[in-house]
Amino acid sequence: MNFQKKILVTGGAGFIGSHVVRRLVNKYPNYLILNADKLTYAGNLENLIDVDYKENYEFIQLDITNERSVNELFEAHQFDGVIHLAAESHVDRSISNPGEFVMTNVVGTLNLLNSCRAQWNGNFNNKVFYHISTDEVYGSLGDTGLFYETTAYDPRSPYSASKASSDHLVRAYFHTYGMPIKISNCSNNYGANQFPEKLLPLMINNINENKPLPVYGKGENIRDWLWVEDHAIAIDLIFHEGVLGETYNIGGHNEWKNIDLIHLLCDIMDRKLNQAIGTASSLITYVTDRAGHDMRYAIDASKIYNELGWKPSVTFEKGLEITVDWYLNNKEWLSRVTSGAYQSYYKKQYKSE
Ligand code: NAD
Ligand code: TYD
């Protein structure tokens, strides 16, 4: 089949990547979507089972830290666009293993930039290299204030430092070589298919298993939560309509103190599981705080709203309800991803319990 565009999505088997791939494959039957993913512990092809048979979808197992493999991929395919999501993404893992984050997030991004630059060879017409990043590059806020696109970078974890470094490289390729880049920095995502090392799926899984709910420190840290499908919509929009060289912040104007969010989740879970209100929250256990734990993240998303017309499509109440239903209806998915290596990760990370 003759496709109008060939798009490389990296990290498409992960949490956000799988929602992006599904959206693009279904919405653009005239694009070929090639998903390149190493399939680390966080990558799961089961996330894409509903689209993987489609003619406009292909998967290739690829480690972006391997320069030769990345070059070979670009020799085999001419891409019109790259949407780069592949990354090591969990702060706690970055604290125990920073080197892996530098390799994937920095060196991996560099390899993609270099291959892309060589392939496009100065002919950047209708080409886009779109780098997906995080609000964590801006550091940690006090009680007030928001992250703007112009906020100075101040990363404080090995994860956010590696993402900041990759953002800088992507921008440097725009200024130095004229590469057609775009960047977006998004707040915390929640939704289906998130690996249960992150707050919400970990708490849902533990409530299901009647295990303690480990709250770091006093539970007072604040995150700004966005439904993953709204992030995927924003990525589609920025890829097609965002201005080259620009950065867009994406967020839900939806700040929650961890402990309040956990209580809300516990009440929803009690209701869904037909148990007395208070059952799930009785599992809450305060544990040693994360080292260098960022206090507060909050995004100003007015640029993407004013310039591209994007805003979240669902309320938090609705998004959370859909999310909890998904995990309750997909207990086999949860038990498959939490078998094996997850058990040893969990023991090591939450050893005080
Ligand atoms: P994830 O950990 O669920 O998925 C990452 C994917 O990348 C996995 O499929 C994994 O197999 C793949 N991958 C890892 N190392 C690789 C390598 N060396 N080569 C090829 N593939 C590799 O992460 P996510 O939450 O879906 O995040 C995706 C992107 O969005 C990341 O760049 C992350 O920094 C960014 N982001 C995430 C959030 C969030 O709340 N989860 C918020 C803002 C930005
Ligand atoms: P997380 O989902 O790891 O995202 P990030 O650190 O990138 O924001 O954590 C969200 C918040 O929840 C963060 O403040 C740390 C806290 N947290 C806990 O209190 N307990 C946990 O077991 C986890 C995984 C996170």
Side-chain angles (χ1 to χ4, degrees), residues 98-116:
E100 206 170 340
F101 282 66
V102 173
M103 283 309 296
T104 292
N105 299 357
V106 185
V107 177
T109 301
L110 179 72
N111 288 339
L112 289 165
L113 283 167
N114 283 339
S115 286
C116 231

Side-chain angles (χ1 to χ4, degrees), residues 11-17 36-44 62-65 84-89 104 132-135 159 163 186-189 194 197-198 231:
F15 167 48
I16 302 171
D37 194 300
K38 180 180 172 184
L39 300 182
T40 66
Y41 76 92
N44 185 352
L62 174 102
D63 181 348
I64 57 168
T65 69
H84 175 35
L85 296 109
E88 287 293 336
S89 69
T104 292
I132 307 302
S133 194
T134 167
D135 60 354
Y159 164 63
K163 291 296 293 186
C186 188
S187 62
N188 286 61
N189 285 212
Q194 188 170 31
E197 62 186 352
K198 305 274 169 62
H231 190 188

Side-chain angles (χ1 to χ4, degrees), residues 250-262:
I250 309 170
H253 281 301
N254 181 37
E255 291 181 50
W256 284 83
K257 209 180 257 191
N258 289 341
I259 191 63
D260 295 341
L261 176 57
I262 292 163

Side-chain angles (χ1 to χ4, degrees), residues 123-142:
N123 180 6
F124 298 139
N125 259 352
N126 297 316
K127 304 285 195 290
V128 183
F129 184 100
Y130 178 14
H131 178 62
I132 307 302
S133 194
T134 167
D135 60 354
E136 302 189 26
V137 300
Y138 299 121
S140 178
L141 291 164

Side-chain angles (χ1 to χ4, degrees), residues 161-194:
S162 66
K163 291 296 293 186
S165 174
S166 61
D167 292 12
H168 287 321
L169 274 172
V170 172
R171 272 191 205 100
Y173 273 57
F174 172 74
H175 291 292
T176 308
Y177 307 114
M179 281 269 290
I181 67 96
K182 302 177 184 184
I183 298 181
S184 56
N185 297 81
C186 188
S187 62
N188 286 61
N189 285 212
Y190 69 93
N193 300 104
Q194 188 170 31

